[in-house]
């Protein structure tokens, strides 16, 4: 019964990881698309305006996508092996991502001038992205909620899997295989 439950939780954790991985892959592909468009714009305009610095927004999008994919790889490995150390590291990483996401979302909702705190984006891609989010706010909210739920369930499944694994280890530690040696007749 425990093996079936463990297998089901491992599969569920892998499913939640797959949802997070899809977001990471989409973010990487979108940032690569933005890099391509930025390079085309840089070739067609003045050298000083576009080539002075690489836009921070593209860096941020690419970095977040890579970190999501890396955490997903760790999550798949942790789910496969059910190792307590890897599960703990995975839970810590996903919890840290949740805290960062919560801080960013709360800053956007509380601070009406949140975009003034960010550096200028010479490529204009951040403004395009902001306009896209404003025009498709319903879809973006549902995608954001899906990601938050997937991360929350990932933490929950990793915690349950870690608990099951620790229970299996402690139940196997105290097997009475050596007790007959203690009662050896003289």
């Amino acid at each position: 019964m425990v093996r079936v439950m463990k297998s089901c939780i491992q599969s569920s954790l892998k499913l939640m990881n797959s949802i997070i991985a899809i977001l990471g892959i989409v973010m990487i592909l979108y940032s690569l698309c933005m890099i391509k468009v930025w390079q085309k714009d840089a070739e067609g305009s003045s050298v000083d305006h576009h080539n002075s610095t690489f836009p921070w927004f593209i860096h941020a999008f690419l970095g977040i996508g890579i970190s999501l994919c890396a955490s997903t790889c760790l999550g798949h490995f942790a789910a496969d092996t059910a190792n307590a150390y890897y599960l703990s590291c995975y839970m810590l990483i996903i919890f840290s991502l949740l805290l960062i996401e919560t801080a960013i979302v709360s800053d956007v909702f509380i601070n009406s001038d949140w975009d003034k705190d960010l550096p200028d984006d010479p490529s204009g891609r951040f403004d395009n992205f902001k306009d896209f989010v404003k025009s498709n706010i319903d879809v973006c909210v549902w995608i954001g909620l899906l990601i938050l739920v997937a991360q929350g369930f990932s933490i929950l499944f990793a915690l349950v899997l870690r608990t099951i694994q620790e229970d299996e280890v402690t139940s196997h530690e105290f097997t009475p295989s050596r007790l007959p040696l203690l009662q050896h007749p003289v």
Side-chain angles (χ1 to χ4, degrees), residues 57 114-115 125-135:
F57 181 65
W114 62 271
D115 54 345
R125 299 292 159 224
F126 179 66
D127 294 328
N128 293 345
F129 181 73
K130 205 166 58 171
D131 292 338
F132 173 77
V133 170
K134 284 180 183 176
S135 65

Side-chain angles (χ1 to χ4, degrees), residues 20 39 60 80 85 96 125 161 182:
I20 296 170
Q39 286 176 342
D80 228 11
Y85 176 73
S96 299
R125 299 292 159 224
L161 187 61
L182 293 176

Side-chain angles (χ1 to χ4, degrees), residues 9-19 72 75-76 79-80:
I9 291 173
Q10 284 176 321
S11 299
S12 300
L13 181 58
K14 289 179 182 181
L15 177 68
M16 294 300 128
N17 273 325
S18 298
I19 292 171
T72 300
H76 277 289
D80 228 11

